[in-house]
Amino acid sequence: MADTILRGEKITRAFQQGKTETKVLDGIDIHLYEKDFTVIMGPSGAGKSTLLYALSGMDRITGGHVFYRDKKLTGLSEKQMAKLRAEEFGFVFQQIHLVSNLTLLENVLVAGYVSKKDSTEKVRERAANLLRQMDVEEAKDRLPSQVSGGEAQRAAIARAMIGKPGLLFADEPTGALNQANTREVLDLLTDLNRKGQSILMVTHDLRAAARGNRILYLEDGKVCDELVLEPYNEMEEKQRERDVSGWLSGLRW
């Protein structure tokens, strides 16, 4: 069994509207493991993104505790939590959120400077290497509006990786992309995981989910099932997608 990188104990997230309380997350226990590619699936409104934000500290939970490498996150101040996110977490979203008046390279560099892990020279070297790895080196001096959605998302992955995160959070990273760009982004995430990057991804896309080696199914604010797979192998992709589809069908997805 791999080491636990992040765990949640009895995580609850409730919203109050008048006298009515709605629990979006209802006492979830969850473990994420080093070097795993963990996927969260479930029907619309199940709380998938809420769970990702709760585990990453982007949203405050109303009950339970979250631990990152045995460091208790619950109760940290906003400043402490922001520092931890900058140093230990990377984020990729469906809406890419690149700064519009900065080039792709500048977007990555700014994130690297914020993490404060390396010297300016090393940050610039790592940014150039990441953009090359993400196959957007030729577009590095362009603004986000001057590149395709796929190029922008690949630059966003480079930005997420610049601080050498222990855990990469991805919330529907292919949700706004066409089929070709979706595959390119999934291939990049798969390659990062093969090199040891721990990933937690929320998705509604079966093909994206099949890239994970562990899929958690969330419904009504609870984790109600789990599928464990071998590491992704493109030679067995179709069978893998059939296996995931059959499992989801059994859950009436």
Side-chain angles (χ1 to χ4, degrees), residues 72-206:
K72 188 176 180 180
L73 306 191
T74 318
L76 291 182
S77 68
E78 290 296 335
K79 184 176 181 180
Q80 290 171 321
M81 196 64 239
K83 183 175 186 293
L84 179 73
R85 284 195 298 267
E87 294 178 350
E88 296 293 336
F89 297 161
F91 297 91
V92 183
F93 302 98
Q94 178 176 344
Q95 301 302 321
I96 296 166
H97 299 307
L98 293 175
V99 180
S100 61
N101 62 342
L102 297 181
T103 66
L104 301 189
L105 174 60
E106 289 167 342
N107 268 278
V108 177
L109 289 173
V110 167
Y113 299 149
V114 168
S115 73
K116 298 180 180 179
K117 281 188 173 181
D118 287 317
S119 65
T120 298
E121 182 179 345
K122 287 185 176 180
V123 168
R124 294 192 67 86
E125 180 180 352
R126 179 165 171 78
N129 288 337
L130 282 167
L131 289 170
R132 189 177 305 115
Q133 182 182 346
M134 302 300 155
D135 197 27
V136 285
E137 182 180 23
E138 291 185 2
K140 66 182 177 64
D141 295 321
R142 298 177 192 165
L143 298 174
S145 61
Q146 298 171 325
V147 301
S148 70
E151 289 173 320
Q153 188 64 293
R154 297 201 300 275
I157 295 173
R159 178 183 60 182
M161 291 298 298
I162 188 68
K164 304 175 187 175
L167 183 57
L168 178 64
F169 293 88
D171 188 12
E172 300 280 10
T174 62
L177 303 179
N178 62 28
Q179 186 172 341
N181 285 325
T182 289
R183 187 167 191 90
E184 289 179 357
V185 167
L186 291 176
D187 285 345
L188 287 173
L189 292 174
T190 301
D191 185 57
L192 288 171
N193 178 245
R194 283 173 175 160
K195 293 174 180 176
Q197 179 63 54
S198 306
I199 300 175
L200 176 64
M201 179 174 71
V202 166
T203 187
H204 67 276
D205 185 342
L206 186 151

